[in-house]
Amino acid sequence: MKDIARQQMSMKVESMDMLNAQIQMEGRASASYLAMASWCDQRGYTRSAEFLYRQSAEEREHMMKIFKFVNDCGGNALSPEIKNIEHDFTSLEEIFETALAQEIEVTRSINNIIAFARKNNDFGVENFLQWFVSEQLEEEKNMRDILDLFELMGSEGVALKLIDERIPVE
Ligand code: FEO
């Protein structure tokens, strides 16, 4: 990208680079949820599959929100290259444990960009990311609520079917 364009962006170059890394992370999260949905779909966990398909679509929306923001600020949004998605899971519980770990990682990354933006007076970026702070709280809570079901009902046999029936899908 031409240096002059980077200098005229309404965000710091470092913020743009961090946001491009976030685009990559959201794209990876979307692909990862799709793999989890497929695992559930093949094993008859229909509500879990539905929940994870939706989650995958949501992550793509997050990716596109950031993608558009970078370009709207005069930056250069980069289409992510996503490889090596995990498709092998040992249990339904592992799926949701992996999902929670993934969300915690995303939250950390968002917080990290906000901390940088704040320190460097990149207020547009800080303001833009506020929506993601609330969204991450919500997503982490959803995963913890589901993991509580395993705690409550167990993680074998008929409990799995009963848990699947309680997976929230609007
Ligand atoms: Fe967009 Fe749940 O990370």
Side-chain angles (χ1 to χ4, degrees):
M1 165 178 223
K2 290 192 185 92
D3 282 352
I4 185 74
R6 286 167 76 97
Q7 281 162 19
Q8 287 174 354
M9 281 192 308
S10 51
M11 73 169 88
K12 301 262 190 295
V13 171
E14 294 88 342
S15 296
M16 181 182 77
D17 292 343
M18 290 172 103
L19 288 172
N20 267 318
Q22 193 63 37
I23 287 169
Q24 172 85 28
M25 200 174 206
E26 303 287 347
R28 171 163 280 278
S30 175
S32 173
Y33 279 129
L34 199 55
M36 293 179 196
S38 180
W39 190 96
C40 293
D41 211 352
Q42 291 171 51
R43 285 158 183 83
Y45 298 122
T46 49
R47 288 180 69 97
S48 299
E50 179 64 22
F51 174 84
L52 292 160
Y53 280 128
R54 287 181 192 198
Q55 202 63 35
S56 174
E58 269 189 34
E59 296 302 347
R60 189 172 193 285
E61 281 171 24
H62 297 171
M63 180 186 86
M64 291 310 299
K65 230 182 222 291
I66 304 170
F67 200 91
K68 278 293 293 163
F69 177 75
V70 169
N71 282 342
D72 288 348
C73 288
N76 180 23
L78 302 174
S79 180
E81 196 176 326
I82 296 154
K83 289 189 212 156
N84 302 324
I85 294 299
E86 184 62 69
H87 284 82
D88 292 329
F89 302 96
T90 54
S91 66
L92 189 62
E93 191 174 16
E94 190 199 355
I95 294 257
F96 288 105
E97 282 169 350
T98 307
L100 176 60
Q102 187 170 283
E103 291 302 338
I104 290 172
E105 220 180 297
V106 170
T107 303
R108 278 203 195 112
S109 179
I110 295 282
N111 288 346
N112 193 35
I113 306 172
I114 291 175
F116 174 87
R118 189 171 293 172
K119 200 171 153 201
N120 291 279
N121 298 340
D122 212 347
F123 300 123
V125 171
E126 181 181 353
N127 185 53
F128 167 72
L129 288 175
Q130 288 311 314
W131 181 87
F132 286 84
V133 173
S134 311
E135 181 70 9
Q136 281 311 116
L137 284 175
E138 179 72 25
E139 293 199 331
E140 281 192 33
K141 182 190 178 298
N142 289 343
M143 297 308 171
R144 288 197 177 92
D145 286 350
I146 293 172
L147 285 170
D148 283 347
L149 293 174
F150 290 92
E151 194 70 21
L152 208 69
M153 303 170 79
S155 47
E156 277 169 42
V158 73
L160 295 173
K161 200 73 204 146
L162 296 174
I163 289 170
D164 187 58
E165 283 167 9
R166 285 166 176 75
I167 300 296
V169 283
E170 290 130 297

